Every structure is written in C-alpha cells, then in structure tokens.
Amino acid sequence: MQTLRHLITVYNPLNVAARLMPMRGRLLMLALAAVMTLLLMTLFSAPLQILQERLGAQGWVMSADDQLEERITIVAIDERSIAEIGPWPWARDDMARLVSALNAAGVQLQIHDVVYPEPRSGDDILIAALQASPGAVLAQVPVLPGQNQPDVQTGQMTHPMQGVACDATATQTGSFVANHAGFASLPKGHIAPIVASDGSVRNVPAVICVDGQTYPALAISALLQATTAGSWQASITQGDSWLAPEQIMRLNAYPGLDIPLDQDGNLRISYKDRPENFQAISAIDVINGNYPAGMLQNAWVLIGGTAFGMGDIVPTPYSGATPGVELQARLIGSLLDTTMPYTPRSADMLLGLMAVLFALALYGLASARERMAAYGLPAAAVLMPVIALALHWQLLAAYEIWLGWVAPALFSILAASALLLLEQARVRVERTRVFGNLNSYLPSDIAREIAYSLPSSSINARRCDVTLLSADLRNFSAFGEARPPEESAAILHFFFSKSAEIVARHGGRIQEFKGDSVLAVWDGQNERAAHAALAAAKQMQESIHKDMPQTPPAGLEPLALGIGIEQGPALVGSIGPAHRRSHTLLGDTVTITLRIQELTAELAQPILMGECVARQLSDLKPESQGSYLLDGLRIPHTLFAPANDEATQRRARQDQLNLKVVSGGKP
C-alpha cells in the first residue's frame, strides 16, 4: 500500500507537471486534456451526441424563419376526421373520396405518408383516383437494421433509383412493409427515418438498399415525380472541397440541385422553419369542401396522420410531440429551397483547429500574471464552450452548416481546469518553498504569520510568558581572528545546527542566531518549560565539549559555552515600516537572560539561571551564586547554578583555568 501511494504521488500528472519548467508543464496539461477529451468522446459518445444535437438545434429555434410555407400543405388525418369517418385505417372508399376531393381542388402533387400493404375492397376506386391525379406518390417502409423489428416482407417494393449502387455507404435491409401489387404502377418513396436514442428524428437515408435495389426517400421521390421524368436516374459522388459535404447526390431530372449527404448517405432534417409555417387542413374538411377557395390550387399536399392514436409522433426542437408528416414537409421544403443542412468534410479538422485556438488562448492566460490566471482560466472554462456553441449556431443559421461544438467545448473545460489546477499547485509549491525558506530564518509560527498576512507599518506584537535560553560561544572572536573565515564559518554552522537540533528535541524553538550566540524560546512560565530549558542547556554543554575542537591553535583559548536561562513576560512581534519589517523579542526578561549569560564567564559557571527559573527547579536544589546588579539594570538579581555533579565541576574548573586577566576596561 505504501509503495502504491508512492507511485501515485510520483507519477501523478499534476505533480509531474508542477516539477517541470512552466512551459513544459502547461503543454503537458494541454496534452492530457486532449487525451481526456478523446477518451470521454469515445466512452460517452451517445449522451454527448444527444447533448450536441439538442443544444445545437437551438440555433434553428433562435433564428427560425417565420415565413408561411405556401407550396406545401398538410392534409391531416386528425382526431376530428377520425371521429367523423371512423378509426384508422380508413376504408379504401373513404381514401378515394379524399384523393378525388384533392384532384377537384387543383392539387398539383399528392404525397401520401401512408402505406396500403394488404388488398381491400375499394382498391380499384382508390387506384383509379390516384392515377387520375396530376401526380401522386405513395410511401413504402423498409425496416432499418437495429430497430428490433421482426423480419417481414409485406407488399411489393417498387420504383428503385437508377445509377445508385448498393455499396457500403447505403443502408441495407431485407425487411419491409410496402404497398400491395395493385399499387405497383404508382411512384413510391420510403419513409424510414433514423430514430435516435432519445426518440428524435434528425436524419433520413437518401436511399435504402433492399434486395440489391436502392429506393429513394419520399421527399426525393416527390421531387422526381414533379419533374415527370420517365426514369429516376441519380448519382452520388464524394465532396471535392474542404467545406463540401461528405457526399453529394445529383438527380439527372433536376439539374443544378446538389443534395448534401453525410458519410452514411443520410439527409439531415432542417428545423429552420417554425411549425406554424406549415399550413394544415383537416382531411374531413377537404372531403366536405370546407376550406378557403384556391387554398389547394397547384399546391403540393402531404397526406398523413396527426392524431395521437396513430403513433406517428416524434419530438423536435420545437415540441415534444410533433406529427411525423411535418418532418416530410420539412424535407421537401429544404429540397425545393436547395438549403439542406450538412456537416462539411473538414468538420473534424475545423473542430480541431478551434480546440488549438482555445489551447493557445488558455496557455496565454496561464502564462499571465497570477491574478490573470486565477480569474481568467475559470472565465475561459465558461466562455469557450459558449463561443463554440455560438459559432455552431451562426454557421447553421447563415449557411446551413452543421459543424458541431461538443469536442472543443469539452476540451476547453478540461484544459482550463487542468491548467488552473497546475497553476494552483505551482503557487502552492512556491509558497511552500517560500515558507520553508522563511522558516529557516524565523520560528515556524512567526514565519507562518508573515507568509500568510499582508505587510503593515503598524506594530504587530503580543505579550506572552516565555522561558528563554541564551547560549554564547566563548573565545570565538579570537578564534575567528586567527583562523581562515571558512573554518570559522564551519564551526559556527556546526554550533547553530547542533543547538537548533537540541532545542527542538526538548520542545523549544530558536528565536534568533546573532553573532556567535543563540537565543531559544519555550512557551510558558512554568516548571515544564524550566526543566526542558535546563535539559537542553546541559545537552548543549555536553555536545560542545565532545564535538567542538578542544585543542586550539597556539596562543588561543579553547572554545567554551556560556548559557543563561530565565523566565518571564515578553513582547513578541514585528516592528518597522511595511517595506522592511523586523521580528523581535522585547522585554526585561530578554535583557536579564542575556546579562545572566554574560556573567557565566566571570562566575566560572557554564550554566546560570535567574530567580524565576530557579524557583521552578526547586526539586533539583539549584545553588545560589549571590545577588548581582546586572549591567544596565537597577535592581539586583540573585543567580543560581545547577547542582554540581562531577562532570559539571570538572568543566567549571577547566573554564576557571582558561580565564585570562585582560588589562584595560572601566575602573
């Protein structure tokens, strides 16, 4: 488990990036975001595709065309018609009455979104009425693979497309529901939309291959029937430019019309028209002649069910319940306007280019000053997906180009988040490093206070009870005068390091290193702090005598250590201007401790204590050294030394022998 944690820590991409140079770390985060984007787009392709489609289609909704569609009229088999004529499917005689009424109204083309699969009474009347019309197209339904429908072959598929082969791009099936053979002479078109996982219909196969023959969609069949072409000839070619669709269908009978298809040979349904744009009239009103005069003259009519009970209801960007016949009207209208939406061949490249531009912008934000990165990266994580979606909407509304937006939007969110985490980790590492460096000069609590608070020009200090230890390295000045500075620095470094280690081991902290002396602090004015300070002082003395050089150069005295200990109140804090603060420890206790330490040489005692500390150490029976007027103070202080053991007495005698009479000084 410990090894696993170590590996996770070492190979964590964020930790790796934070250890790299800033430029390489940011590039690593961008590359990681790109890999995560590809992974998420693969693992969650279905929900992300639905999100892309639903929000992407809002571009049509927000810029919808409100111009009335006068070329196409929907003849609706609605609830009112069913209530009067009877439940669906109607008798052939009733359908013949509807067809005849449309012929009488001057309809140019009848497009039946209806299938007549089985022979029934009255077929001859209906067929005669259809043949008498200027133009009529019926529906047939190939059952698409993956729709969980049983294999069925009902009726007869007719009117295949010539010139279009059953290749790998065409949807193929061997199952279908078609009109019975009596309707074979009438043109047909398939109504087999591709139903997405959320129930929406966004694509329709341009042709479907059944038993080696390709059959066009109903909207394309209507277009061909309107041209009165003798044969339905078409061709499908690959797009030849980077903004062209994947494939293009061209109808020989309709020169100049390029029908864009995707790589699977599907048409995309356009939702640029509001549902209110499509005129609809109830079938019963057509039969009864109850509609405005001239409304159907030379019109194309779509006959289909709109009643909820007929089951031909699909969700669209405008409504959760839209009759399927409206989708056929949208397809026919787009073909007539030559404004079929499509995805360009270079869509992936354009989305990749958008992601690269986002990456450059994010890299620039991450490279900016700390505040810019802290605020700019979260803002970019919100704005960039909006920009990607807005660009998709603009292309869709202006040029009927369906580009997509989810991939660059997802990348921008992941990349901005990764860069923000990296910058936060880098700032944390830098602050930790700064705090560590600051802590090497100051006590940890003071270093933390300075590191995490704003500079101020006011006094920032507090009164507290402390136990102080002042240790001075005797004879060091003379040693430094006679020896190279490198040697003096090495000895002083050892003294400081060893002292800090001993003080920390006994629960204290170093307040400051000054010259060749150390000032250590324990919190509190109590027995525990007094015992800890005395134990540290004794261990420091042992370490100095054991580890310091005791054979000085000729003419020099050996190094020794004098230590003073006292307790009392003190003022701890920072003073000075904001641009140059100084951390200090002030008060009589500090002065007394320093003066006690200075007397250790004169009294030949390696350790001296003040009255307050001695009082806390009564169990150790410290020995009084008399009352002294300390330098610079007005009140005499009684000093104490620890009870002498053999080692202490030996060191005291040695220190006493090392004393020298120095001429001069104050009389």
Side-chain angles (χ1 to χ4, degrees):
M1 183 62 70
Q2 190 69 24
T3 303
L4 180 61
R5 289 198 190 98
H6 176 70
L7 290 175
I8 293 174
T9 301
V10 171
Y11 295 104
N12 186 320
L14 189 61
N15 293 338
V16 173
R19 290 195 297 268
L20 295 174
M21 295 294 290
M23 180 182 73
R24 294 182 180 179
R26 293 176 187 124
L27 292 177
L28 177 61
M29 287 293 98
L30 290 174
L32 181 62
V35 172
M36 288 296 297
T37 300
L38 294 176
L39 184 62
L40 291 175
M41 292 294 292
T42 302
L43 295 178
F44 303 100
S45 58
L48 288 176
Q49 182 64 25
I50 291 175
L51 177 65
Q52 176 162 273
E53 291 286 348
R54 288 188 174 182
L55 287 183
Q58 294 305 306
W60 276 316
V61 176
M62 291 187 296
S63 59
D65 187 356
D66 57 1
Q67 185 177 357
L68 185 65
E69 175 58 78
E70 297 180 349
R71 299 164 299 181
I72 306 168
T73 301
I74 296 174
V75 175
I77 302 173
D78 54 7
E79 286 84 354
R80 193 160 60 88
S81 300
I82 291 175
E84 186 165 337
I85 295 177
W88 183 261
W90 289 344
R92 298 290 195 264
D93 292 341
D94 294 323
M95 290 302 299
R97 289 168 54 203
L98 177 60
V99 171
S100 298
L102 291 172
N103 291 337
V107 169
Q108 183 182 6
L109 180 64
Q110 296 187 34
I111 307 164
H112 288 241
D113 188 15
V114 178
V115 182
Y116 306 100
E118 68 284 338
R120 283 190 179 184
S121 173
D123 278 343
D124 53 342
I125 301 175
L126 175 58
I127 293 171
L130 289 169
Q131 292 175 339
S133 65
V137 181
L138 304 184
Q140 50 194 0
V141 187
V143 179
L144 299 183
Q147 293 189 347
N148 298 323
Q149 297 290 336
D151 290 338
V152 61
Q153 290 187 344
T154 301
Q156 180 180 352
M157 297 285 292
T158 65
H159 289 75
M161 180 77 74
Q162 303 300 318
V164 179
C166 283
D167 56 15
T169 62
T171 303
Q172 304 190 33
T173 183
S175 182
F176 57 85
V177 176
N179 299 278
H180 70 79
F183 292 89
S185 62
L186 294 168
K188 314 284 192 324
H190 78 75
I191 51 170
I194 299 174
V195 182
S197 58
D198 62 343
S200 299
V201 175
R202 303 180 180 97
N203 302 96
V204 173
V207 294
I208 293 180
C209 183
V210 180
D211 296 333
Q213 299 275 4
T214 54
Y215 297 91
L218 183 63
I220 296 177
S221 298
L223 208 62
L224 290 168
Q225 178 64 13
T227 63
T228 65
S231 62
W232 290 359
Q233 295 282 339
S235 63
I236 296 179
T237 59
Q238 298 295 317
D240 55 2
S241 67
W242 63 290
L243 276 180
E246 293 283 350
Q247 301 181 83
I248 300 174
M249 173 182 276
R250 293 184 174 93
L251 306 178
N252 292 2
Y254 208 125
L257 175 63
D258 291 346
I259 303 175
L261 309 178
D262 64 16
Q263 60 184 359
D264 297 321
N266 298 325
L267 300 163
R268 178 177 279 276
I269 300 175
S270 172
Y271 288 97
K272 69 174 183 177
D273 289 309
R274 298 181 184 276
E276 296 80 9
N277 293 357
F278 297 98
Q279 300 181 94
I281 181 172
S282 177
I284 191 61
D285 288 335
V286 173
I287 293 174
N288 296 333
N290 187 20
Y291 55 87
M295 178 180 179
L296 301 178
Q297 185 70 35
N298 294 322
W300 290 18
V301 296
L302 261 168
I303 303 168
T306 62
F308 280 96
M310 298 181 68
D312 191 16
I313 302 296
V314 294
T316 68
Y318 295 96
S319 171
T322 299
V325 68
E326 182 184 301
L327 306 188
Q328 298 296 337
R330 291 182 179 279
L331 281 170
I332 295 171
S334 296
L335 288 171
L336 293 175
D337 293 332
T338 65
T339 57
M340 294 290 296
Y342 70 94
T343 299
R345 299 181 61 191
S346 59
D348 291 341
M349 183 183 70
L350 293 174
L351 293 175
L353 178 60
M354 190 188 306
V356 169
L357 293 177
F358 285 169
L360 292 175
L362 291 171
Y363 183 89
L365 285 173
S367 304
R369 292 177 301 177
E370 180 178 333
R371 186 177 297 274
M372 178 67 73
Y375 291 102
L377 290 174
V382 175
L383 291 178
M384 286 182 175
V386 174
I387 292 173
L389 182 57
L391 179 60
H392 168 85
W393 285 345
Q394 181 62 28
L395 291 174
L396 190 62
Y399 305 104
E400 293 293 331
I401 292 178
W402 183 279
L403 180 63
W405 61 276
V406 162
L410 182 60
F411 169 76
S412 65
I413 294 173
L414 293 176
S417 301
L419 288 174
L420 184 61
L421 287 175
L422 174 62
E423 294 310 310
Q424 294 296 330
R426 194 182 303 283
V427 168
R428 184 174 180 178
V429 168
E430 291 175 354
R431 288 184 176 176
T432 302
R433 187 183 299 120
V434 170
F435 174 75
N437 292 336
L438 191 60
N439 192 29
S440 65
Y441 291 89
L442 295 170
S444 58
D445 56 338
I446 304 302
R448 186 176 295 105
E449 181 179 348
I450 294 174
Y452 299 113
S453 56
L454 295 175
S456 171
S457 296
S458 60
I459 297 175
N460 182 17
R462 69 182 187 279
R463 179 184 290 269
C464 56
D465 292 330
V466 294
T467 298
L468 300 180
L469 180 152
S470 175
D472 180 71
L473 200 57
R474 297 182 197 156
N475 306 321
F476 182 77
S477 297
F479 184 91
E481 184 180 16
R483 304 301 298 164
E486 291 80 5
E487 187 175 341
S488 300
I491 290 178
L492 198 60
H493 175 74
F494 171 79
F495 169 56
F496 286 167
S497 300
K498 198 66 178 178
S499 299
E501 177 187 341
I502 293 172
V503 169
R505 189 181 304 146
H506 289 84
R509 62 182 182 275
I510 299 297
Q511 175 65 23
E512 66 177 359
F513 298 117
K514 188 172 183 180
D516 55 4
S517 64
V518 173
L519 181 62
V521 181
W522 281 260
D523 292 326
Q525 186 178 347
N526 49 50
E527 181 180 349
R528 182 188 58 80
H531 277 276
L534 180 58
K538 290 181 177 180
Q539 190 170 354
M540 289 170 68
Q541 288 287 356
E542 292 175 4
S543 175
I544 290 297
H545 284 273
K546 181 175 65 173
D547 300 324
M548 284 292 211
Q550 297 300 313
T551 307
L556 296 181
E557 301 295 334
L559 298 174
L561 190 63
I563 300 176
I565 306 173
E566 181 57 308
Q567 289 183 338
L571 197 66
V572 181
S574 301
I575 59 175
H579 64 277
R580 187 62 176 87
R581 302 286 282 177
S582 175
H583 177 72
T584 186
L585 186 66
L586 301 173
D588 292 342
T589 306
V590 180
T591 304
I592 293 170
T593 305
L594 295 176
R595 297 296 180 265
I596 293 174
Q597 177 269 125
E598 292 171 358
L599 283 175
T600 56
E602 297 182 21
L603 299 180
Q605 289 288 351
I607 301 174
L608 285 177
M609 301 176 291
E611 299 167 275
C612 297
V613 169
R615 193 178 304 117
Q616 301 288 351
L617 300 175
S618 58
D619 57 323
L620 299 180
K621 297 181 173 52
E623 299 176 353
S624 174
Q625 305 296 304
S627 181
Y628 297 86
L629 183 62
L630 302 179
D631 189 18
L633 301 178
R634 297 180 297 174
I635 301 175
H637 290 264
T638 302
L639 304 185
F640 295 82
N644 284 335
D645 53 21
E646 184 178 351
T648 304
Q649 292 174 359
R650 185 171 59 252
R651 285 196 297 269
R653 286 195 300 270
Q654 183 178 356
D655 290 344
Q656 194 170 18
L657 291 174
N658 290 335
L659 293 177
K660 294 178 64 179
V661 177
V662 181
S663 61
K666 294 182 179 180

